[in-house]
Amino acid sequence: MHFLSVDDFSKEQINEIFDIADDLKKGRLAISLKERSVLALLFQKPSTRTRTSFEVAIVKLGGAAIYIDPSTSQISRGESIGDTAKVLSAYVDFLAARMFSQNDLLELARNSSIPVINALTDTEHPTQALADLYTILQAKKKLKKIRIAFVGDIAANTANSLMLAGAKLGAEISLVGPNGYQPNPVYFTKAREFSRVEAHDEIKDGVADADIIYTDTFVSMGQEKEAEKRKAFFSKYQVNSSMLNYAKKDVLVMHCLPAHRGEEITAEVIDGPKSIVWEQAKNKLLLEQAIILYLSEKKL
Ligand code: CP
Ligand code: NVA
């Protein structure tokens, strides 16, 4: 089994992964990797958290990691994704890939005989979404009817994954972004099959009763050429202390990181008492371990 999209897992499967994470936390794990497994990381985009935590995750499970830099591999000279996948499948046991295109990731998975994990594409960031939802569950003790306001770039990869996985688990999702700027229609439509999911352009309405306010950069990797335009376009949707006043009193603030203080979020908020971003980042390691263990038990 691969993990390419949050849509690969049902609510029950996500809860099984959360149970593995709980067991890992308590040191009472029932399953372990069957052999000294090797995880290859193929990253076309930069990363601090996901790369490091995946490398640590597999080592902590008794395996080893290999980082493949596309610019120093034959991919840079035109070797196809399919051929690369077939060869890597012969050497390693898992592949975590950070790609620009979701289609390239699907191509990688189609040609792999080992589990492929999406470590972020332009369309999704599913391992992040599971770590985020696990963090919310720990903080709020439930996910059902928990109201998550995703503010800013509501069409970002992180928004797509969080809205669909969150809705599957019964959370309510409010997507708050500029008038005329739409969420990804595929994820929005699917998410609405599971829970209350709305889009707002009025901040007051969008964050009303929010248990969680979540934001991400206004300029995702690959959008650098439009940076100034995007920063101006989304600027009104900065997460700041006056926005928090519209939410519940016990609202918590999340950000997948890296953060840009003074752009999508103020220093006062991200470094303030309502921020749980460091716990959120920490949980990436735990959930990645749980995902690797879960996939190791499944057949492709
Ligand atoms: N949140 C996240 O994926 O961070 P990195 O880009 O540093 O991996
Ligand atoms: N939306 C951001 C997430 C970074 C973890 C990006 O794609 O750059």
Side-chain angles (χ1 to χ4, degrees):
M1 176 173 205
H2 301 298
F3 184 30
L4 309 174
S5 161
V6 289
D7 217 17
D8 292 338
F9 291 152
S10 64
K11 173 184 174 177
E12 290 70 28
Q13 288 175 303
I14 297 173
N15 281 324
E16 268 184 69
I17 292 169
F18 286 180
D19 288 344
I20 299 173
D22 284 342
D23 286 350
L24 274 163
K25 231 175 151 173
K26 291 175 185 147
R28 55 161 200 222
L29 203 60
I31 50 174
S32 59
L33 286 185
K34 284 182 194 66
E35 57 200 53
R36 194 169 151 76
S37 300
V38 179
L39 167 75
L41 295 106
L42 179 66
F43 276 40
Q44 290 179 332
K45 302 186 190 187
S47 170
T48 297
R49 278 146 291 272
T50 311
R51 173 185 173 175
T52 314
S53 53
F54 259 115
E55 291 195 15
V56 175
I58 190 81
V59 169
K60 283 194 180 252
L61 293 173
I66 297 173
Y67 183 76
I68 302 165
D69 176 359
S71 71
T72 56
S73 79
Q74 295 290 4
I75 296 170
S76 68
R77 298 181 61 253
E79 186 166 20
S80 75
I81 288 174
D83 288 357
T84 305
K86 283 179 194 140
V87 172
L88 291 178
S89 294
Y91 300 149
V92 303
D93 305 286
F94 299 93
L95 181 58
R98 174 166 283 198
M99 320 281 287
F100 285 94
S101 146
Q102 183 81 13
N103 281 337
D104 285 352
L105 182 78
L106 298 179
E107 174 74 4
L108 197 64
R110 263 194 301 275
N111 288 282
S112 291
S113 54
I114 54 168
V116 176
I117 302 168
N118 181 348
L120 181 146
T121 62
D122 290 349
T123 316
E124 277 221 39
H125 199 358
T127 62
Q128 180 74 46
L130 294 204
D132 295 343
L133 290 163
Y134 185 83
T135 306
I136 298 171
L137 182 59
Q138 298 285 303
K140 298 285 180 187
K141 306 294 170 223
K142 61 173 188 172
L143 283 168
K144 201 165 169 57
K145 301 250 189 253
I146 286 290
R147 203 163 164 77
I148 305 172
F150 189 109
V151 183
D153 183 4
I154 57 174
N157 42 16
T158 44
N160 293 340
S161 295
L162 189 67
M163 86 168 96
L164 183 51
K168 279 190 182 186
L169 297 178
E172 296 181 358
I173 312 289
S174 173
L175 301 155
V176 194
N179 190 6
Y181 186 73
Q182 304 293 337
N184 180 308
V186 174
Y187 289 85
F188 190 62
T189 308
K190 267 192 195 162
R192 286 165 73 105
E193 290 169 19
F194 296 98
S195 182
R196 183 174 162 197
V197 181
E198 312 147 348
H200 292 274
D201 58 281
E202 283 296 331
I203 291 171
K204 197 172 169 199
D205 300 339
V207 304
D209 293 325
D211 298 289
I212 302 287
I213 292 180
Y214 192 116
T215 192
D216 185 6
T217 181
F218 292 156
V219 187
S220 282
M221 291 178 278
Q223 298 173 334
E224 289 75 11
K225 281 202 182 111
E226 306 152 46
E228 292 317 311
K229 216 173 82 191
R230 293 180 65 88
K231 283 182 207 171
F233 183 61
F234 291 113
S235 61
K236 193 179 135 194
Y237 295 86
Q238 180 190 66
V239 176
N240 52 35
S241 47
S242 54
M243 182 187 288
L244 301 197
N245 289 332
Y246 296 126
K248 281 192 181 149
K249 274 210 160 52
D250 61 352
V251 68
L252 295 173
V253 175
M254 299 178 73
H255 190 312
C256 60
L257 305 176
H260 308 82
R261 288 172 176 74
E263 293 179 17
E264 73 275 8
I265 193 163
T266 58
E268 187 189 13
V269 169
I270 196 167
D271 299 318
K274 293 190 178 299
S275 167
I276 53 168
V277 300
W278 310 118
E279 191 57 27
Q280 180 185 0
K282 185 175 165 191
N283 280 333
K284 284 173 69 80
L285 170 59
L286 186 69
L287 269 292
E288 287 159 6
Q289 284 180 274
I291 290 163
I292 292 169
L293 283 170
Y294 182 80
L295 294 176
S296 75
E297 296 274 291
K298 308 284 163 197
K299 292 243 176 326
L300 264 193

